[in-house]
Amino acid sequence: MASTYSIDEIMSEFEFTQADIAKVKNGEVVNSGVATLTDRDLATMIAFEAKGISDSFERVFLESPTKQQADSTIQQMMASDADGELDFSSLEILPKESAAAMVKTYLTFNGGSDLNLSHKEIDMFHALGNHASQKQVEEVLQKVLAGRVQEYKQGGLEAISPYLRGKGKNFFPGKELQEKSEKSPYVKKFKEFADYIMGWPSSAKLDGLQEG
């Protein structure tokens, strides 16, 4: 039989304050900063009770102090959610002030650490030619991200295509995420949940769950 935990137990384990716990019990969404394993990561913990949640989750994430502090240092891309499915059709390269430079980067990228793209994805941008418009680049980027989502849905973390780094070396993001997840101090505490997340989508199929 799977273990069950109260809101107090779970949030206390994740070092939320008593004030935060009270807010969640009152139907609010709270967030807290969290230490990361490397300086390449950005993380924030968000806690809420699943019932009755609406758009407040997105609002709290976007307004998270940790995220706002990093907004000026990261390339942002906004996607919408339709019927439980990510919709990349309205995706834009943001902020607008650096969009032209990013378009050039996508069109000329041949591997390295400036972008996270697989060899196949790089070829998709190169096929546009050096004078492609921002809209054309955004359309390819939409296909790239939609393709990654499908990879994950079909085969989990192991199925995510590797990023091409310098000197032809591949970096496997799914493998790194798996390793980082296994190092989390909460994995052993909440084993059933950890096994479900790291075993997805196989775990979902075994439990007879459906997406959406």
Side-chain angles (χ1 to χ4, degrees):
M1 179 180 294
S3 301
T4 57
Y5 306 91
S6 68
I7 292 177
D8 296 77
E9 289 175 318
I10 295 175
M11 293 189 67
S12 294
E13 284 292 337
F14 284 87
E15 301 180 355
F16 280 96
T17 66
Q18 289 300 312
D20 286 336
I21 294 174
K23 287 180 180 179
V24 168
K25 287 183 175 180
N26 194 42
E28 298 181 50
V29 183
V30 299
N31 71 78
S32 172
V34 59
T36 57
L37 294 176
T38 73
D39 59 6
R40 295 182 289 106
D41 302 330
L42 170 64
T44 183
M45 288 195 298
I46 301 175
F48 59 92
E49 192 172 10
K51 64 180 182 180
I53 199 71
S54 57
D55 63 347
S56 54
F57 176 84
E58 179 181 6
R59 174 181 54 77
V60 168
F61 173 72
L62 293 176
E63 295 176 0
S64 164
T66 305
K67 178 185 180 302
Q68 290 181 350
Q69 289 173 8
D71 278 350
S72 63
T73 67
I74 59 176
Q75 182 67 28
Q76 300 183 60
M77 294 171 291
M78 303 300 293
S80 59
D81 188 291
D83 300 323
E85 295 287 337
L86 279 174
D87 179 10
F88 296 101
S89 62
S90 60
L91 181 146
E92 294 181 83
I93 297 176
L94 299 171
K96 294 182 178 180
E97 292 77 10
S98 62
M102 283 306 303
V103 166
K104 182 178 180 180
T105 300
Y106 277 111
L107 294 175
T108 59
F109 185 70
N110 286 298
S113 58
D114 289 340
L115 294 174
N116 292 323
L117 295 174
S118 69
H119 196 288
K120 176 183 177 181
E121 292 165 349
I122 292 171
D123 287 344
M124 291 171 66
F125 286 105
H126 285 182
L128 294 175
N130 291 332
H131 304 292
S133 66
Q134 179 176 334
K135 180 174 176 56
Q136 289 176 302
V137 170
E138 288 172 342
E139 288 174 347
V140 170
L141 188 55
Q142 292 164 13
K143 294 177 182 178
V144 166
L145 296 179
R148 291 185 187 177
V149 172
Q150 286 305 310
E151 285 180 341
Y152 177 60
K153 284 184 174 181
Q154 293 171 8
L157 294 176
E158 294 182 356
I160 299 176
S161 296
Y163 303 147
L164 183 63
R165 296 300 189 222
K167 299 181 180 180
K169 294 183 179 180
N170 283 322
F171 169 75
F172 294 83
K175 181 179 179 180
E176 182 184 70
L177 183 56
Q178 183 91 21
E179 292 174 348
K180 286 183 177 181
S181 298
E182 291 170 351
K183 291 179 181 178
S184 168
Y186 308 111
V187 167
K188 293 182 180 180
K189 179 65 178 179
F190 304 106
K191 189 176 185 304
E192 294 92 344
F193 179 71
D195 289 345
Y196 179 84
I197 293 298
M198 291 191 284
W200 200 91
S202 298
S203 56
K205 293 177 182 177
L206 289 173
D207 285 347
L209 300 179
Q210 295 181 345
E211 302 167 40

